[in-house]
Structure formats: structure tokens, C-alpha cells
Amino acid sequence: MAEVPAADTAKTGAPERAEEAGQAEQANQTKQATKRTLKDYRSEVKPTWCPGCGDFGVLAALQRALAERNLDPRDVVIVSGIGCSGRLPEFVNAYGLHVVHGRALPAAQGVKAANPDLTVIAVGGDGDGFAIGGGHVPHAVRRNQDITYIVMDNQVYGLTKGQPSPSTPTGMQALRRSVSMPKMAPYEGVLEGQLNILAMVIVYGCSFVARTFSSQATEMAKTIGLGLDHPGFAFVHAMSPCPTFYNTYDPWKESFLPLPEDWDTGDRIKAIDKAMEEVGEGVFHSGVFFQEQYRTYTDKLQDVYAKAYGDEQATIDALMDQYA
Amino acid sequence: MDRLDLTIRIAGENGEGVLTVGDVLAEALARSGLHIYTFKNLPAEIKGGASMTQVRVQDTPVRSPGDALDILMVWNQENYDIHVGEVKSTGVVIFDPDECEADESLELTQIGVPLQKITKTVIKTMKSKNVLAFGVLTTCLGIPFESAKQMVAESRWGRRKEFLESNINALKQAYIYVDDNDIDLGLRVPVNQRNGHAQLIMTGNDALCMGALAAGCRYYAGYPITPASDVMETLAKAMPRVGGVLMQTEDEIAAITASIGASFTGAKVMTATAGPGLSLMVEALGLATMEEIPLVVVDVMRGGPSTGMPTKTEQSDLNLAIHGAHGEAPRIVIAATNTEDCFYTAVKAFNLAEKYQTPVILLSDQHLSQRAQVMSRPDLSQVEVVERKQPDGNGSVSPQEFDRYEMTEDYISPMPLPGRHGQHYVATGLEHDEHAHIDYSPEAHIRMTEKRHQKIESAVNEPGFVQRYGAEDAQLGLIGWGSSEGPILEALDRTLAKGYKVAALIFKMLHPLPEKEARAFIESIPVVSVVELNASGQFANYLQGRLAVSLQRFNIITGLPFKAGDIEEYIEGVLQYG
């Protein structure tokens, strides 16, 4: 029976920690002893968001979730695309990879595939994730790598000053609340339909789908934490208002409801129904809509290795024998 | 005795099996100690359309696909009409008399062999028609039946024992027919010498994959596209055996950004594509330049623009490879010249990417990537592998103190890796300072622009990327790049032998440009012409712009590779008539 390779061989050549053996032990002890707090995940860069931005809440909730898990910042990579929310990695004391618009998910998947030991978090907005980057979401779900994807949904393009996004409500509704959107949709309002982001992700087959609201700090930290703990692709729909271009604080405070206490997180069809019904009812539910554990990409890769190695990894010379 | 040099073409309806005949013949001849060079020309569709495969066989390494044909075998009228004009006056046409009518007015040896009828009435298995065709060719080449039998047994036709008997029977029928009809071309191709373990039969794409793995590539992301898909398919088999990851992504944008993500963690990464995919990757190429992330992007060029000619060859992505970017995003662009060179150039691509922390575009093309050639097995103990510069292991520098983009003497800064180094930072596509903090100040932009440009400039001093050949006192100089090397050098040898004073300069590094070598060559020769497979003379324009010189051009845009004969005629034309 083939030995399943140790985790390090699966890391595509990613090197081991730099410490010498003795130092590593010492570092490990220090690691055990260190109890990190939210402050340990604050970087020296001050957030550039507008006062009152919902993203402050998301940032604090993420930092708290990281602190609760006492993760070493060197083992955490936060990947983002473009938009206000794309700036988040800069404000966290951890590794960050800030890529081009809409491509946070592919970049995060590359990070995780190359080194499965890292905690990988992708963040971005509704435009980044569901307009320009929308084609990547179903495939990230299909691969089911252990990545937490936090979408900060403010239903507007904030960084470009207030154009409607894929999650902006159709018609005149949003325009009444926005000083900026009438520029883009002066007559009949937003002509395009509103994407039901949550329902889409559930239908794609995502193994963890939750929603949370930036004004509910404790609950948001808890939900993000559940996403981090979930072994697989976790989608966190973080509603995060933009007070500057589309201020939804007041209506959202009223329309946010917790999922029923006896909610069955194992029923995908019910979860879809709930996500669809909400739209007509004008409410948002917070909590975990659906969760089920499937084998991750890394799990499956281990099987592939076990089968392909035989007794040991092939040398490049052996691979060339097929051409002799 | 004359040197062995035969060019054999087999043509028929796409999907009928002509390509298999060519593949098996090429492999069998190569295993017999001979050198081969294949050339296929087929439609982009899976079934239907005229399709042909060609094998040039020599007893020394073959450098180009061959000019006129020594043997043409056609299975139907359409292919007879297409190809008969390319047969040498001393050549032979083998045709199926029930499927096509030979043009009796041609002064050629034309031999009718009823392939279809023999298959139907004698062999009675239509699948064996290609074995019959193979047998007709091997008898005509003077290969003894026993040797041909062994060739069939060792080929894909021998893999399944239940079919072997009927395949050997088909082969036998070929020998019987040829013998009964007293067909003898007077050829005796020597096939006694068995090729050892030291020779490999590979396509350019195969060799490129093995080079990438030898250099340490353990992550590949890609999206299917002709003619680069073989790279992904070869690595799909190989990666699991060496503990690597192969990810088929949803598009080329995901392929390149996933590769960037993997490289961020320290893995050696590659993606391969063709022109349409490279177009989609342009934005992320700029990102890799900006974040100084090592990355190898292979572009197997095909006929463009747009969907263009997916199964044809062209050297027309040079502009895109060198200049394709918004803003100024310098990267290293190199090109491979032949199958063996695909292996070593792939190794160099990784070494350059890791050393200079930059994207490297490796240009191949359809013809180079898919033809088979014989190459010496690389000695892996002699392959130099470069690792990227990383921070010292002691971890004493805090992230607050650490400068990811430190201005060093060679502009290359140590790169910390997640999970390994405590100097975490945020790589960003926004302009930044040494500390990786966003900075739009004029000073930061000037410093970092200089860093990105200067960093790769010294790559021109890397050895082995530009080579001069031919006469010292040349009257005509040819400049070529990438896969046109073989036909240029063959034409050079032929014309030098005829007494012409001609030289060649072959570039494998295109950006940064080895300016010193280019200028010395151009200034020392009265007439210099750039030979390339594109319409506008992309390399010629680039050289003219950089060096402020005037150059002649020789361009072909048939979608087919250069023949040595094309270039030979051009050299003679220029030197005889100016």
C-alpha cells in the first residue's frame, strides 16, 4: 500500500519554515504561549474607508475571529480584488495578496493549492465577486478548497463613486436612497434584475453558506469564525452598507432577522427556498443557511498522490522513460 | 554513399488514420537509430477535411520539415490534387487507384496500390487499413518484413494483443502485394541499429513539460486551447507522480491569477496558452510585474488574429508578448528553437523567473510544439536550477522593519513566503514603496519604475540566448528568432557550400534585447534581413526601433513553417540580384 505523502510534499515544493530545528522548537513554544488579541491583527496602515463604512465592522469581526483562533499571522493569507473592500488585507497584520479586479478567488485557490497548511481568506465586494469576477465563483465552489470567501455586499460600486452593482435592487427603489445612482440610471431606475447572490451560491453547491450584517459585530465575528472552521469552501455574505453612496443602514437594521432557532442547516432545498422567499418579503436572514462537509480538493489530491506514486515519487528521469 | 535524407508524406481525410500512420512510422524509424522530424497539417475540426502528416528522416539531426517530397502516399483524389505538385521530379507517388485517378501527364513514378480494396476483401477489418498503408511504406523503404513486424508490435498497434494478429496480417498483405507487383524503389533504409535509452522521441510540448518539471515546477494552472493543450495533458499525468498540482481552471484569467497565488507562497509555477489566452492574461501579467512575482507563461503561437488558424503556425504574438500591457510592465521574453531546446529553455525560463522575480514569457509555436524530433536524453545532474532570493532564516526582522521591495544593488529584493517567514507583507498591484505600502508619490513611482525596469536589464548578460553562425565576412546576414533557427541554419549550410558569403544571428532572448550582439552583427554586414513567420516583421520593427537601423525582411504567412528551401532561394535571390 502506498504511503500517503506527508503534508509538506503536497505543498508543491513550498519550503519549510525557515527556523533551524532548535529554533523551530523554541518558536513553537513561544507560539503556544502567545495568546493573541484583536490588536495583534491590526496593521500599521489606517483604513482608508469613509467614516461609517460597514467594512470597518467586517474588518474588526475578521480580526476578532483570527484572534479567537490564535492564528500565527505568518500562516494567514488574505486575498482581495479591487474595490473599497479590496483594500482590507492592508489593514490586517498578516500576509496579503491584492490582485486585479474580480480575481481574488483564483488567486486564493492558487495560494491554497500550493500550500494547504495556510489559512486562506478571500475578500471582496459585490461588484468584484459577482460582476467582473462572477464566473469564478461556481468553480471555486466546485473545487471546494478550504477557503473562506467574505463578500462585503453594499449593493453599490463605492470606489468608483456610486454606480449600481449586480446586487442593486431593480427599478427606482435604490435611486431614492442614493445621491449617485441617478447619474447612471436617470429615467426608469436600474433596468437590470437584482442577483440573488446567496441563492446562487447555494445552488452552485457550496458547502457552507451564511449571511451576516456589519452592524451586528458579535454575530458577524461568530459567523466568520464558523466559516474559518468549516473544512471546505465557506461563503460568508457580509452585508456592509455604504453610507456615502447608498446608505442602507436604516432599512437593513429593520429587515435583518435571525434564521429560525430550529433551522436545519443540512437541507439545501429549504435553504434555496429561504433565500428566494426573502426577496419578496423584503427581509434578510442572518446565520448559517447551509452547511455540509464534503471532501476538499486537498483531500482528493491526497488520494491522487497515493495512487500515482506507487511506492515513491517518480524522478524526472523516470518520467522521461516514456519517450525512449 | 549519399547521406540519407527522405521526406515522406501521407495524406487523406481527417479522422481516417493517416496521422497514426505518420506517427508510427516516425517512432519506428527513430527507434531504429535514425533522426526524424515530423510535420502535420490538419484542419481544426475533429473529423473531415484534408489532413496530412510528413516524416523527414536523416542519419544526422534534422533541422527543418523538408522541401519537396521523395514519397507521397495519398488515400483519395482531393489529397492527390492538393499534394502531387510538391513531389520531387525523382520522387514517387503511391495512390489508391480505386479512390483517385493519377494525372498521367506528370513525369513522376506513380504506383497504384488499392489500399481500400485489399483492406475490404483480403484483410476484412477496416481498422487495419492504416497498418496496410504503413506496410506499403516500409516495403518501399526497403525495410525487411521481420523488422517491420517488430515495429508494429512495439507500436500502438501492438499494445492490444487481441488486435495484434490482424494487424500483422495487414502488414503481411502489404509485403505480398508489393512483392507480387514487383514494386521496388531501390531504397534500403538502414534500420538495424537499435536506438538506446540515450535518445528520446519527443514533441516540443513534451520536452517543455519535462524541462519545467526538472526546473522544479510543481504547480500548473491552465485552460484548454490548441496548440497548448498537450502541455496540460502531459502535466496532468506527470504532476501527481512528483507531488505537484495541476489545476484546469475556468479560463485563462483564472489560470494566470491562480499561478500568481501559488507563486506567492514559493511554488514554481507555469501556465501555457496560445494567442487568445495570452490576450486574456495581459492584465495579470502586469500584476506579476508590479508585485515582482516569479511566473512562467508559455505561449504556443498559432495563426491569428482572433480565433485565426488554431492548427497552423505563426510567429505573430511577439508584439503582444513584449509590449502587451497597460502602463509599463517589463518582463522577460524568450523563445525556444527546437525540440531539445524546448527542454533547456523551459529550465532557463524558470531560472530567470525565480532569479529576477518577474514573469517570463516563453514563446513556442504550433509547429515546434507538436512535431516530433529525436533528442539526446538530458543529463539532469548537469541541469542548473536557480532558487529565488529569500530573507535570512533567523526571523529577527519584524514585519514593520522589513522592506519587501528593498532597493538592492541588483534591484532584486528578498521575498518572504507565507508559512515560512515572519516578515509578512501585502503584495499589491497599486504603486507602493520599499515597504510594500501604497504610495502614489512621484518619488515612489520613479524609484519603483526604475527598479522594475533595471532589474531585468541584466538578463541580457545571461549566456546562451544569442548565437552567430556562418561566414565572418558575410555579404548577407539573416536574423531569426525561435523556431525559424533550424530552417535558417540548414539554408545557411547549403548556401555556404555553394560559396555564398552569408551569416545568421539567432535570438532566443527577445526582451530585454541583446542590443550589443544585434548592433555588432548589423553594422558588420552590408545587407541584413530579418526572417520571421508574420506579415508585418514584428522583430524587424522592434530592432529598427531600438537600434535606429534599416533592415530587410523576409516574411511568410502561409500558416506553415519555413522550409530550408524557401530561405535558400531568398539568400540566392538577394546575393545574385541584390
Side-chain angles (χ1 to χ4, degrees), chain A residues 9 12 15-17 44 74 90 93 95-98 103 106 110-111 114 136 143 305 309 313-314 317 321 323, chain B residues 197 201 218 240-244 248-250 253 258 261 265 291 377 417-421 424-425 427-428 435 438:
Chain A
T9 52
T12 60
E16 285 300 276
R17 280 179 187 283
E44 52 197 329
R74 81 166 68 182
E90 262 202 287
N93 185 37
Y95 274 98
L97 182 58
H98 184 196
R103 318 301 167 198
V111 170
H136 300 303
R143 287 187 195 103
Y305 291 141
Y309 283 172
Q313 277 192 27
D317 224 19
D321 286 345
Y323 304 106
Chain B
H197 206 57
I201 311 152
R218 293 295 180 273
R241 297 185 60 197
V242 295
Q248 184 183 324
T249 52
E250 54 273 20
I253 298 173
T265 73
E291 296 184 346
R377 179 186 277 262
L417 307 175
R420 178 169 194 193
H421 299 104
H424 41 266
Y425 71 104
T428 174
H435 192 49
I438 295 164

Side-chain angles (χ1 to χ4, degrees), chain B residues 207-363:
Chain B
L208 194 148
C209 289
M210 293 302 127
L213 293 169
C217 177
R218 293 295 180 273
Y219 181 86
Y220 178 94
Y223 184 76
I225 187 167
T226 304
S229 300
D230 323 340
V231 173
M232 187 161 67
E233 288 166 12
T234 299
L235 289 176
K237 277 181 272 175
M239 275 298 191
R241 297 185 60 197
V242 295
V245 178
L246 180 128
M247 206 179 248
Q248 184 183 324
T249 52
E250 54 273 20
D251 57 31
E252 288 90 347
I253 298 173
I256 189 169
T257 32
S259 302
I260 289 170
S263 179
F264 179 71
T265 73
K268 292 189 180 179
V269 304
M270 178 167 88
T271 178
T273 186
L278 187 66
S279 301
L280 293 181
M281 291 182 180
V282 162
E283 185 190 18
L285 275 168
L287 177 75
T289 293
M290 195 65 161
E291 296 184 346
E292 303 195 32
I293 291 183
L295 168 70
V296 175
V297 177
V298 176
D299 175 21
V300 185
M301 295 180 287
R302 65 191 216 185
S306 188
T307 313
M309 305 193 287
T311 55
K312 311 291 175 191
T313 205
E314 212 163 78
Q315 294 179 303
S316 53
D317 292 347
L318 183 69
N319 285 345
L320 176 63
I322 297 177
H323 306 292
H326 58 274
E328 288 164 302
R331 83 255 327 206
I332 294 175
V333 182
I334 58 177
T337 56
N338 58 47
T339 304
E340 188 167 16
D341 191 56
C342 282
F343 179 93
Y344 293 102
T345 303
V347 174
K348 286 178 184 171
F350 278 89
N351 287 348
L352 291 169
E354 296 293 322
K355 179 172 175 183
Y356 294 95
Q357 293 180 21
T358 183
V360 173
I361 298 180
L362 196 177
L363 294 174

Side-chain angles (χ1 to χ4, degrees), chain B residues 73-84:
Chain B
M73 173 185 269
V74 289
W75 291 13
N76 61 28
Q77 190 73 50
E78 185 191 8
N79 281 285
Y80 179 93
D81 295 340
I82 292 171
H83 301 289
V84 76

Side-chain angles (χ1 to χ4, degrees), chain B residues 437-507:
Chain B
H437 279 173
I438 295 164
D439 189 341
Y440 308 142
S441 70
E443 295 78 15
H445 187 51
I446 291 165
R447 282 200 313 279
M448 287 295 145
T449 301
E450 179 188 318
K451 184 180 195 290
R452 291 186 288 267
H453 281 84
Q454 288 302 321
K455 189 176 68 165
I456 64 165
E457 270 309 313
S458 53
V460 290
N461 301 320
E462 299 280 347
F465 282 105
V466 56
Q467 183 69 46
R468 184 182 168 138
Y469 301 88
E472 284 301 319
D473 56 344
Q475 291 301 301
L476 170 64
L478 301 181
I479 289 178
W481 60 276
S483 70
S484 50
E485 181 195 67
I488 289 175
L489 295 187
E490 191 173 344
L492 200 71
D493 283 351
R494 289 187 199 170
T495 47
L496 285 168
K498 290 181 193 167
Y500 291 101
K501 288 182 172 174
V502 54
L505 188 66
I506 306 295
F507 287 84

Side-chain angles (χ1 to χ4, degrees), chain A residues 54 57-58 61-62 148-154 198 208-227 235-241 252 256-259 278 284-289:
Chain A
V58 182
L62 174 62
T148 305
Y149 181 33
I150 304 169
V151 169
M152 290 171 246
D153 188 356
N154 55 11
L198 200 81
F208 177 100
V209 184
R211 189 194 280 120
T212 168
F213 180 28
S214 62
S215 292
Q216 299 170 350
T218 314
E219 146 97 32
M220 182 173 258
K222 189 180 141 216
T223 306
I224 290 175
L226 290 173
F235 179 80
V236 178
H237 192 202
M239 304 304 290
S240 173
W252 285 5
F256 251 88
L257 305 171
L259 281 166
E278 286 183 343
F284 294 111
H285 287 95
S286 57
V288 178
F289 275 66

